[in-house]
Amino acid sequence: MRKVYKYVTLTTQGFLVLATGVMVVIVILEVVLRYGFNTGFSWSEELSRFLFIALSFIGASEALRRGQHVSVSIFIDMLPSGVKRKVRFIVRVFMVLFLLLFAYSSFLLLKKFHFQLAPALRISMAWPHSALFLGAILMLFQLLWVMLKGSNGEEDSKSLLKDEV
């Protein structure tokens, strides 16, 4: 299981780096072409928008892995450690339920947008919308990993991966 976790994490990180690089190059090239040569690509804005959406949703799983999502824990931090663990577990169960619902809803969207084409790129709109589904599945994977590791003594997701990946 640890190998699968490491593979998924490294693949996610690789995609994020590649997508960020492609998006930066496309945007810089488009700015240079538009303002330097009064021309440009018709598809650059659309592709950079799709890449930004993918970065947001898939990057959310990496943020979850690192424990970097915004949270308000002032009241939880005031609780005794036993109660704190139970509250965090309950919150994580609700997060799993939300992510399952989000993944299911985004999968339904994929089926609806399958035949619709992007105006400039002329690709199926299922491709950009797949970032929602993939992001939900990756966040669910990371959250379940945190919960499994938490049951082995590592409760806080922030301290979970200091020695991993």
Side-chain angles (χ1 to χ4, degrees), residues 12-25:
T12 301
Q13 290 172 344
F15 171 79
L16 293 172
V17 168
L18 181 67
T20 301
V22 169
M23 189 173 83
V24 166
V25 167

Side-chain angles (χ1 to χ4, degrees), residues 73-153:
S73 61
I74 189 168
F75 297 114
I76 294 174
D77 292 340
M78 288 193 272
L79 297 172
S81 63
V83 177
K84 193 185 304 187
R85 261 186 262 123
K86 290 175 184 173
V87 169
R88 283 192 177 141
F89 179 78
I90 291 169
V91 167
R92 288 178 179 156
V93 167
F94 278 111
M95 288 172 67
V96 166
L97 294 174
F98 171 78
L99 288 171
L100 286 171
L101 179 64
F102 186 75
Y104 176 73
S105 301
S106 59
F107 183 75
L108 293 178
L109 275 178
L110 283 177
K111 291 174 22 178
K112 285 185 179 182
F113 287 113
H114 179 69
F115 296 107
Q116 184 180 355
L117 295 179
L121 291 172
R122 306 304 297 164
I123 61 170
S124 170
M125 286 299 288
W127 284 104
H129 283 89
S130 66
L132 281 73
F133 178 72
L134 186 59
I137 295 299
L138 288 171
M139 281 189 280
L140 191 59
F141 177 78
Q142 296 292 352
L143 184 60
L144 291 174
W145 181 264
V146 166
M147 291 173 75
L148 288 173
K149 275 303 259 196
S151 65
N152 292 330

Side-chain angles (χ1 to χ4, degrees), residues 58-76:
I58 295 171
S61 71
E62 182 64 16
L64 181 68
R65 182 185 78 81
R66 295 178 182 205
Q68 293 179 334
H69 278 276
V70 175
S71 65
V72 179
S73 61
I74 189 168
F75 297 114
I76 294 174

